[in-house]
Amino acid sequence: MWKADAVGIIVAIDGPAGSGKSTLARGLALALEVPYVNTGLMYRALAARALERGVDPDDGSGLLALLSTLTFDLDRSSRPPELSIDGAPPEPALTSADVERVVSRVARHRDVRAAMRDAQRALGGSGAVLEGRDIGTVVFPDAAAKLFLVARQDARVARRGAERGGEVESEVLLGRDERDAEVNPFVPAPDAVELDTSDLSREETLARALAAVRARIGRS
Ligand code: DC
């Protein structure tokens, strides 16, 4: 009953790397039966293409031209429906160290961000759970529910290591945080619910997030 009512709702999940956004966003999208959009992968896809084509990550207009060669869509055959890039699921190479090194620089350009914002609105506008850094503040400031995830540094480094199947240097993660923060200070939307995931299991995080979404939407 409540799920059916959830169709069309937009949930924004923001927070730094390793705070547990992806696992939570996918779980929430499944529970609410709406698509899941990982907006970080969109910036990563542009960074990967820039590396492939030799476009300088500091060349904003070159990147904007390159962005128009990428197609973002929803793959409705997956559960939950998820982002597809050029008609295929996002490639594992998007999480490579090479991409990780340049993605903050790629995400720095105002025009690139504006074009990404438009693409993200087109993908999520009919209802979705979207994760990123600026979803609740810029992309969907009117989202029905907004969650801002935080976690202690040690928990974020450990989680990222588990996701990547090995050790992650804390300097790499924290260095990227610093560069990210120059572009987009991690300021939660004033109406976001903050959730510290440091000591929470996936299930606990999902249960708390669902409770927050339900409270926001005013149903039980
Ligand atoms: O969430 P992630 O680590 O996959 O994000 C990859 C990069 O993209 C990260 O450096 C921050 C940037 N990003 C952004 O600037 N805005 C978003 N909405 C999502 C990601």
Side-chain angles (χ1 to χ4, degrees):
M1 177 76 157
W2 186 77
K3 276 185 205 160
D5 288 346
V7 171
I9 75 160
I10 295 170
V11 178
I13 302 187
D14 292 301
S19 58
K21 296 190 300 288
S22 300
T23 306
L24 172 61
R26 181 178 282 109
L28 261 185
L30 264 178
L32 298 174
E33 297 180 1
V34 294
Y36 158 51
V37 182
N38 179 337
T39 64
L41 288 173
M42 298 168 73
Y43 287 99
R44 287 170 182 271
L46 180 58
R49 184 145 302 177
L51 289 171
E52 253 167 52
R53 304 270 172 97
V55 172
D56 187 335
D58 296 324
D59 173 7
S61 47
L63 290 170
L64 190 61
L66 203 56
L67 181 53
S68 64
T69 70
L70 281 166
T71 307
F72 299 115
D73 224 324
L74 288 176
D75 175 1
R76 299 213 172 254
S77 68
S78 75
R79 245 182 60 75
E82 274 191 52
L83 179 71
S84 71
I85 301 171
D86 291 338
E91 290 180 7
L94 296 186
T95 56
S96 68
D98 286 345
V99 168
E100 207 107 293
R101 254 192 297 278
V102 297
V103 65
S104 306
R105 276 160 70 199
V106 166
R108 193 169 61 83
H109 305 279
R110 189 182 291 266
D111 291 354
V112 167
R113 298 196 70 80
M116 286 288 194
R117 179 197 61 208
D118 292 348
Q120 290 155 9
R121 285 183 180 160
L123 290 169
S126 309
V129 177
L130 298 100
E131 66 155 289
R133 302 291 194 287
D134 58 349
I135 306 301
T137 47
V138 175
V139 181
F140 284 109
D142 296 330
K146 301 177 185 177
L147 295 160
F148 191 83
L149 302 194
V150 294
R152 286 190 316 269
Q153 258 176 40
D154 60 316
R156 297 199 294 119
V157 171
R159 191 176 281 135
R160 204 20 84 95
E163 279 167 11
R164 299 287 193 259
E167 294 269 303
V168 165
E169 297 285 334
S170 56
E171 299 85 74
V172 173
L173 185 88
L174 302 178
R176 191 156 69 85
D177 277 358
E178 249 172 54
R179 290 192 299 279
D180 285 347
E182 285 166 18
V183 181
N184 254 320
F186 295 140
V187 184
D191 52 345
V193 174
E194 190 169 303
L195 199 56
D196 185 336
T197 63
S198 307
D199 300 313
L200 297 180
S201 67
R202 290 167 174 230
E203 293 74 20
E204 286 165 338
T205 304
L206 178 59
R208 291 197 193 191
L210 268 172
V213 171
R214 286 190 175 116
R216 226 12 104 84
I217 292 170
R219 302 192 185 252
S220 56

